[in-house]
Amino acid sequence: MLFYSVAGLCVGSEVPLAGLAPLSEPVDAAAMIRLGDVPGHLPGAILVGPNWMISEAQLLIWIPGLARFMLTDGQDIRIRPVPGRPAEEALAFLPQMLGLLLQQRGRTVLRSSAVEVGGWAILFCGDSGAGKSTFATALAERQHRLLGDDFCVIDVTTEGALIVHGDAARPKLWADAIDAFDQWAETGDAVRCNIQKYHVGPPTSPADGLPLGGIYRLRDDRRLDRPVIEPLRGMDAVQTIRQSVYGPRFVDPSRGSAGILRSAVAIARTAQVFSLTRGSGFGWMEDGLRSVEESWDTSRARRDNH
Protein backbone atom coordinates (compact mmCIF):
# COMPACT_ATOMS: atom_id res chain seq x y z
CA MET A 1 0.00 0.00 0.00
CA LEU A 2 1.27 3.46 -0.97
CA PHE A 3 0.25 6.69 0.75
CA TYR A 4 -0.09 10.18 -0.70
CA SER A 5 -1.17 13.66 0.31
CA VAL A 6 -3.51 15.13 -2.32
CA ALA A 7 -4.85 18.65 -1.70
CA GLY A 8 -4.67 18.06 2.04
CA LEU A 9 -6.36 14.64 1.83
CA CYS A 10 -4.41 11.55 2.95
CA VAL A 11 -4.96 8.79 0.38
CA GLY A 12 -3.94 5.14 0.49
CA SER A 13 -3.56 3.37 -2.85
CA GLU A 14 -2.94 -0.15 -4.09
CA VAL A 15 -1.50 1.33 -7.29
CA PRO A 16 1.11 4.06 -7.87
CA LEU A 17 -0.24 7.51 -8.70
CA ALA A 18 1.72 8.94 -11.63
CA GLY A 19 3.06 12.42 -11.05
CA LEU A 20 2.72 12.26 -7.27
CA ALA A 21 5.44 11.55 -4.71
CA PRO A 22 4.43 8.92 -2.12
CA LEU A 23 4.78 9.79 1.54
CA SER A 24 7.79 8.31 3.29
CA GLU A 25 5.70 6.76 6.08
CA PRO A 26 2.20 5.24 6.31
CA VAL A 27 -0.63 7.53 7.44
CA ASP A 28 -4.21 7.14 8.54
CA ALA A 29 -5.79 7.37 5.10
CA ALA A 30 -9.09 9.25 4.76
CA ALA A 31 -9.67 7.73 1.31
CA MET A 32 -8.59 4.56 -0.48
CA ILE A 33 -7.89 3.59 -4.09
CA ARG A 34 -8.29 -0.09 -4.95
CA LEU A 35 -8.51 -2.41 -7.92
CA GLY A 36 -11.68 -4.47 -7.87
CA ASP A 37 -15.06 -5.19 -9.36
CA VAL A 38 -17.10 -2.22 -10.56
CA PRO A 39 -20.69 -2.70 -11.75
CA GLY A 40 -21.78 -1.59 -15.19
CA HIS A 41 -24.90 0.07 -13.81
CA LEU A 42 -25.68 2.19 -10.73
CA PRO A 43 -29.02 1.32 -9.12
CA GLY A 44 -30.98 4.34 -7.93
CA ALA A 45 -29.12 6.75 -10.20
CA ILE A 46 -30.30 10.35 -9.85
CA LEU A 47 -28.45 11.70 -12.91
CA VAL A 48 -27.31 9.81 -16.01
CA GLY A 49 -24.87 10.98 -18.68
CA PRO A 50 -23.30 9.41 -21.76
CA ASN A 51 -20.61 7.60 -19.72
CA TRP A 52 -21.52 8.28 -16.09
CA MET A 53 -24.20 7.81 -13.43
CA ILE A 54 -24.69 9.56 -10.09
CA SER A 55 -26.61 8.31 -7.06
CA GLU A 56 -26.90 9.89 -3.64
CA ALA A 57 -23.46 8.71 -2.52
CA GLN A 58 -21.79 7.18 -5.59
CA LEU A 59 -20.43 8.20 -8.97
CA LEU A 60 -19.89 5.61 -11.71
CA ILE A 61 -17.73 6.60 -14.70
CA TRP A 62 -16.64 4.40 -17.56
CA ILE A 63 -13.94 5.14 -20.12
CA PRO A 64 -14.95 3.06 -23.15
CA GLY A 65 -12.42 0.38 -23.90
CA LEU A 66 -10.26 1.23 -20.85
CA ALA A 67 -11.87 1.02 -17.42
CA ARG A 68 -14.76 1.65 -15.06
CA PHE A 69 -14.41 3.76 -11.91
CA MET A 70 -16.69 3.86 -8.85
CA LEU A 71 -16.34 6.75 -6.39
CA THR A 72 -18.17 6.28 -3.10
CA ASP A 73 -19.00 8.90 -0.50
CA GLY A 74 -15.72 10.76 -0.92
CA GLN A 75 -13.86 7.85 0.68
CA ASP A 76 -13.25 5.17 -1.93
CA ILE A 77 -12.21 4.85 -5.57
CA ARG A 78 -12.62 1.41 -7.11
CA ILE A 79 -11.02 0.69 -10.52
CA ARG A 80 -11.77 -2.11 -12.95
CA PRO A 81 -9.53 -1.99 -16.03
CA VAL A 82 -10.92 -3.64 -19.15
CA PRO A 83 -9.40 -7.13 -19.43
CA GLY A 84 -6.61 -7.28 -21.97
CA ARG A 85 -5.79 -3.56 -21.82
CA PRO A 86 -2.74 -2.24 -19.93
CA ALA A 87 -3.76 -1.13 -16.44
CA GLU A 88 -1.47 1.92 -16.80
CA GLU A 89 -3.86 3.40 -19.37
CA ALA A 90 -6.69 3.28 -16.85
CA LEU A 91 -4.53 4.64 -14.03
CA ALA A 92 -3.78 7.74 -16.13
CA PHE A 93 -7.32 8.91 -15.30
CA LEU A 94 -6.81 8.74 -11.54
CA PRO A 95 -5.92 12.47 -11.15
CA GLN A 96 -9.37 13.36 -12.53
CA MET A 97 -11.01 10.84 -10.21
CA LEU A 98 -9.24 12.31 -7.19
CA GLY A 99 -10.56 15.76 -8.06
CA LEU A 100 -14.08 14.36 -8.26
CA LEU A 101 -13.60 12.46 -4.99
CA LEU A 102 -12.79 15.76 -3.29
CA GLN A 103 -15.95 17.22 -4.81
CA GLN A 104 -17.86 14.34 -3.22
CA ARG A 105 -16.47 15.41 0.14
CA GLY A 106 -18.09 18.83 -0.29
CA ARG A 107 -14.83 20.65 -1.07
CA THR A 108 -14.61 23.45 -3.64
CA VAL A 109 -12.29 22.15 -6.35
CA LEU A 110 -11.03 24.37 -9.18
CA ARG A 111 -9.43 23.14 -12.40
CA SER A 112 -6.16 25.02 -12.01
CA SER A 113 -2.42 24.96 -11.62
CA ALA A 114 -0.85 26.92 -8.76
CA VAL A 115 2.40 28.37 -7.47
CA GLU A 116 3.47 29.91 -4.18
CA VAL A 117 4.48 33.56 -4.14
CA GLY A 118 5.61 35.11 -0.87
CA GLY A 119 3.54 32.70 1.22
CA TRP A 120 0.41 33.13 -0.95
CA ALA A 121 -1.14 30.71 -3.46
CA ILE A 122 -1.61 32.03 -6.99
CA LEU A 123 -3.98 30.00 -9.20
CA PHE A 124 -4.14 29.77 -13.00
CA CYS A 125 -7.45 28.58 -14.41
CA GLY A 126 -8.74 28.11 -17.94
CA ASP A 127 -10.08 25.65 -20.45
CA SER A 128 -8.12 22.60 -21.55
CA GLY A 129 -5.13 23.77 -23.57
CA ALA A 130 -5.20 27.31 -22.15
CA GLY A 131 -1.65 26.96 -20.85
CA LYS A 132 -2.20 26.51 -17.10
CA SER A 133 0.55 23.93 -16.64
CA THR A 134 2.86 25.73 -19.05
CA PHE A 135 2.55 29.01 -17.19
CA ALA A 136 3.02 27.44 -13.76
CA THR A 137 6.08 25.54 -14.98
CA ALA A 138 7.57 28.74 -16.38
CA LEU A 139 7.03 30.43 -13.02
CA ALA A 140 8.70 27.50 -11.28
CA GLU A 141 11.72 28.21 -13.48
CA ARG A 142 11.69 31.67 -11.86
CA GLN A 143 11.91 30.12 -8.36
CA HIS A 144 8.19 30.13 -7.50
CA ARG A 145 7.30 26.82 -5.84
CA LEU A 146 4.75 24.65 -7.61
CA LEU A 147 1.69 23.73 -5.56
CA GLY A 148 -0.35 21.75 -8.05
CA ASP A 149 -1.08 20.97 -11.68
CA ASP A 150 -4.51 19.39 -12.21
CA PHE A 151 -6.61 21.04 -9.52
CA CYS A 152 -6.65 23.01 -6.29
CA VAL A 153 -9.05 22.97 -3.37
CA ILE A 154 -10.20 26.23 -1.81
CA ASP A 155 -11.53 25.99 1.74
CA VAL A 156 -13.30 28.86 3.48
CA THR A 157 -12.44 29.01 7.20
CA THR A 158 -14.94 29.97 9.88
CA GLU A 159 -13.30 33.41 9.89
CA GLY A 160 -13.90 33.74 6.14
CA ALA A 161 -10.26 33.26 5.06
CA LEU A 162 -9.59 31.39 1.81
CA ILE A 163 -7.06 28.54 2.13
CA VAL A 164 -5.66 26.73 -0.92
CA HIS A 165 -4.45 23.14 -1.09
CA GLY A 166 -2.72 22.14 -4.35
CA ASP A 167 -2.80 18.56 -5.62
CA ALA A 168 1.05 18.36 -5.43
CA ALA A 169 1.20 16.79 -8.90
CA ARG A 170 4.10 17.19 -11.31
CA PRO A 171 3.25 19.38 -14.32
CA LYS A 172 2.13 17.67 -17.51
CA LEU A 173 3.27 19.42 -20.69
CA TRP A 174 2.81 18.80 -24.38
CA ALA A 175 5.96 18.15 -26.38
CA ASP A 176 5.97 21.60 -28.01
CA ALA A 177 5.87 23.30 -24.60
CA ILE A 178 8.68 21.10 -23.30
CA ASP A 179 10.72 21.93 -26.37
CA ALA A 180 10.08 25.64 -25.84
CA PHE A 181 11.36 25.34 -22.27
CA ASP A 182 14.29 23.13 -23.32
CA GLN A 183 13.30 20.71 -20.55
CA TRP A 184 13.67 17.37 -22.32
CA ALA A 185 16.36 16.39 -19.80
CA GLU A 186 13.74 16.52 -17.02
CA THR A 187 10.98 14.81 -18.98
CA GLY A 188 9.43 11.71 -17.42
CA ASP A 189 6.94 9.16 -18.69
CA ALA A 190 4.16 9.98 -21.10
CA VAL A 191 0.83 10.76 -19.44
CA ARG A 192 -0.86 8.18 -21.68
CA CYS A 193 0.24 5.85 -24.42
CA ASN A 194 0.47 7.38 -27.89
CA ILE A 195 0.00 10.94 -26.55
CA GLN A 196 2.87 13.43 -26.66
CA LYS A 197 2.20 14.84 -23.21
CA TYR A 198 4.70 14.13 -20.44
CA HIS A 199 5.34 14.54 -16.74
CA VAL A 200 8.16 17.06 -16.25
CA GLY A 201 10.38 18.19 -13.40
CA PRO A 202 11.00 16.60 -10.02
CA PRO A 203 8.12 15.47 -7.78
CA THR A 204 6.33 18.27 -5.97
CA SER A 205 6.25 18.14 -2.18
CA PRO A 206 2.81 18.49 -0.55
CA ALA A 207 2.37 21.88 1.12
CA ASP A 208 0.24 22.99 4.03
CA GLY A 209 -2.70 25.16 3.06
CA LEU A 210 -1.75 28.67 1.94
CA PRO A 211 -3.90 31.79 1.81
CA LEU A 212 -5.29 32.59 -1.62
CA GLY A 213 -3.43 35.49 -3.21
CA GLY A 214 -5.11 35.64 -6.61
CA ILE A 215 -6.80 33.81 -9.47
CA TYR A 216 -5.91 34.31 -13.14
CA ARG A 217 -8.19 33.08 -15.92
CA LEU A 218 -6.08 32.33 -19.01
CA ARG A 219 -7.61 33.16 -22.37
CA ASP A 220 -6.34 32.92 -25.94
CA ASP A 221 -6.63 35.73 -28.50
CA ARG A 222 -4.45 35.17 -31.56
CA ARG A 223 -4.74 38.85 -32.52
CA LEU A 224 -2.67 39.98 -29.55
CA ASP A 225 1.05 40.67 -29.73
CA ARG A 226 1.39 41.22 -25.98
CA PRO A 227 -0.50 39.68 -23.05
CA VAL A 228 -3.16 41.78 -21.37
CA ILE A 229 -4.08 41.49 -17.66
CA GLU A 230 -7.38 42.95 -16.49
CA PRO A 231 -8.98 42.81 -13.02
CA LEU A 232 -12.38 41.12 -12.85
CA ARG A 233 -15.00 42.22 -10.36
CA GLY A 234 -18.55 41.45 -9.38
CA MET A 235 -20.35 38.89 -11.51
CA ASP A 236 -17.43 38.72 -13.97
CA ALA A 237 -15.24 37.38 -11.17
CA VAL A 238 -18.00 35.05 -9.94
CA GLN A 239 -18.57 33.68 -13.44
CA THR A 240 -14.84 33.09 -13.91
CA ILE A 241 -14.73 31.00 -10.73
CA ARG A 242 -17.90 29.08 -11.65
CA GLN A 243 -16.44 28.20 -15.04
CA SER A 244 -13.32 26.86 -13.31
CA VAL A 245 -15.11 24.38 -11.02
CA TYR A 246 -13.72 20.90 -11.52
CA GLY A 247 -16.22 18.53 -13.16
CA PRO A 248 -19.32 20.66 -12.40
CA ARG A 249 -21.69 18.05 -13.84
CA PHE A 250 -20.52 15.62 -11.15
CA VAL A 251 -21.06 17.90 -8.15
CA ASP A 252 -23.26 16.36 -5.48
CA PRO A 253 -26.86 16.94 -6.64
CA SER A 254 -27.76 18.16 -3.14
CA ARG A 255 -25.30 21.04 -3.67
CA GLY A 256 -26.07 21.55 -7.34
CA SER A 257 -25.60 24.81 -9.22
CA ALA A 258 -26.76 26.80 -6.19
CA GLY A 259 -23.93 25.42 -4.10
CA ILE A 260 -21.39 26.19 -6.81
CA LEU A 261 -22.71 29.75 -7.04
CA ARG A 262 -22.46 30.26 -3.26
CA SER A 263 -18.87 29.05 -3.27
CA ALA A 264 -17.97 31.26 -6.23
CA VAL A 265 -19.53 34.32 -4.59
CA ALA A 266 -17.65 33.66 -1.33
CA ILE A 267 -14.34 33.35 -3.17
CA ALA A 268 -14.92 36.36 -5.46
CA ARG A 269 -15.87 38.51 -2.47
CA THR A 270 -12.40 38.04 -0.95
CA ALA A 271 -9.99 37.01 -3.71
CA GLN A 272 -8.45 39.13 -6.45
CA VAL A 273 -9.49 37.73 -9.82
CA PHE A 274 -7.90 38.63 -13.17
CA SER A 275 -8.13 37.69 -16.80
CA LEU A 276 -4.85 37.07 -18.62
CA THR A 277 -5.36 37.16 -22.39
CA ARG A 278 -2.42 36.13 -24.54
CA GLY A 279 -1.53 35.40 -28.13
CA SER A 280 -0.72 32.07 -29.72
CA GLY A 281 2.53 30.14 -29.50
CA PHE A 282 5.11 30.83 -26.79
CA GLY A 283 6.47 34.21 -27.84
CA TRP A 284 4.18 35.93 -25.34
CA MET A 285 5.49 33.97 -22.36
CA GLU A 286 8.27 36.26 -21.15
CA ASP A 287 6.04 39.35 -21.29
CA GLY A 288 3.26 37.39 -19.62
CA LEU A 289 5.46 36.27 -16.73
CA ARG A 290 6.74 39.78 -16.22
CA SER A 291 3.21 41.24 -16.34
CA VAL A 292 1.92 38.74 -13.79
CA GLU A 293 4.82 39.41 -11.41
CA GLU A 294 4.19 43.16 -11.72
CA SER A 295 0.51 42.63 -10.92
CA TRP A 296 1.55 40.73 -7.77
CA ASP A 297 3.69 43.67 -6.69
CA THR A 298 0.76 46.04 -7.22
CA SER A 299 -1.66 43.77 -5.38
CA ARG A 300 0.78 43.27 -2.50
CA ALA A 301 1.24 47.03 -2.09
CA ARG A 302 -2.51 47.56 -2.11
CA ARG A 303 -3.01 44.78 0.46
CA ASP A 304 -0.24 46.10 2.73
CA ASN A 305 -1.80 49.57 2.71
CA HIS A 306 -5.10 48.30 4.09
Side-chain angles (χ1 to χ4, degrees):
M1 182 70 67
L2 299 169
F3 297 90
Y4 300 86
S5 177
V6 183
L9 180 72
C10 293
V11 178
S13 179
E14 293 181 349
V15 295
L17 303 184
L20 291 172
L23 300 176
S24 57
E25 296 181 358
V27 296
D28 292 330
M32 299 296 297
I33 300 173
R34 299 183 176 92
L35 296 169
D37 189 38
V38 175
H41 180 78
L42 190 57
I46 299 171
L47 296 175
V48 177
N51 68 323
W52 52 270
M53 296 182 176
I54 299 176
S55 69
E56 186 174 345
Q58 292 183 307
L59 167 61
L60 171 65
I61 299 178
W62 57 94
I63 311 298
L66 285 182
R68 294 199 297 267
F69 299 86
M70 178 75 84
L71 285 65
T72 302
D73 203 26
Q75 299 179 4
D76 185 78
I77 298 176
R78 195 66 57 101
I79 314 161
R80 185 183 185 276
V82 169
R85 295 297 300 270
E88 291 76 12
E89 293 188 29
L91 301 184
F93 290 89
L94 275 175
Q96 293 95 312
M97 300 305 150
L98 284 165
L100 297 176
L101 188 80
L102 286 157
Q103 289 276 31
Q104 277 191 328
R105 297 177 72 90
R107 312 282 293 279
T108 297
V109 185
L110 298 189
R111 186 177 62 252
S112 64
S113 59
V115 297
E116 178 186 357
V117 179
W120 297 78
I122 305 295
L123 275 57
F124 298 95
C125 302
D127 298 330
S128 178
K132 301 181 293 294
S133 296
T134 303
F135 208 78
T137 302
L139 286 166
E141 292 282 291
R142 297 163 82 99
Q143 308 307 309
H144 300 296
R145 184 166 65 115
L146 281 165
L147 299 176
D149 181 63
D150 287 304
F151 58 82
C152 293
V153 171
I154 300 180
D155 293 326
V156 182
T157 69
T158 54
E159 294 79 20
L162 302 176
I163 303 299
V164 175
H165 297 271
D167 65 1
R170 296 171 69 190
K172 295 182 285 292
L173 300 184
W174 292 98
D176 58 348
I178 295 173
D179 200 27
F181 284 127
D182 194 25
Q183 284 197 344
W184 282 109
E186 296 189 52
T187 301
D189 295 334
V191 174
R192 289 179 58 196
C193 296
N194 302 318
I195 292 181
Q196 290 189 317
K197 192 174 189 180
Y198 304 88
H199 298 281
V200 300
T204 302
S205 299
D208 294 334
L210 296 174
L212 176 60
I215 297 174
Y216 291 79
R217 170 82 174 181
L218 302 183
R219 295 186 174 96
D220 185 6
D221 187 339
R222 299 178 184 276
R223 299 169 298 178
L224 292 180
D225 294 326
R226 296 175 60 86
V228 176
I229 296 177
E230 299 176 303
L232 299 176
R233 299 182 177 88
M235 285 308 299
D236 288 336
V238 171
Q239 186 66 7
T240 288
I241 296 166
R242 287 183 65 186
Q243 292 172 347
S244 302
V245 169
Y246 199 87
R249 72 182 71 178
F250 303 121
V251 173
D252 181 352
S254 65
R255 292 177 65 201
S257 58
I260 292 176
L261 178 60
R262 284 193 297 271
S263 296
V265 169
I267 294 169
R269 188 176 291 136
T270 302
Q272 295 178 315
V273 184
F274 305 88
S275 69
L276 193 167
T277 309
R278 45 89 171 181
S280 58
F282 299 97
W284 63 276
M285 183 68 71
E286 186 63 30
D287 284 340
L289 296 170
R290 191 163 45 247
S291 297
V292 166
E293 290 175 329
E294 288 171 357
S295 73
W296 294 339
D297 293 338
T298 301
S299 299
R300 187 181 301 114
R302 186 182 301 115
R303 187 168 54 235
D304 292 343
N305 288 332
H306 284 76

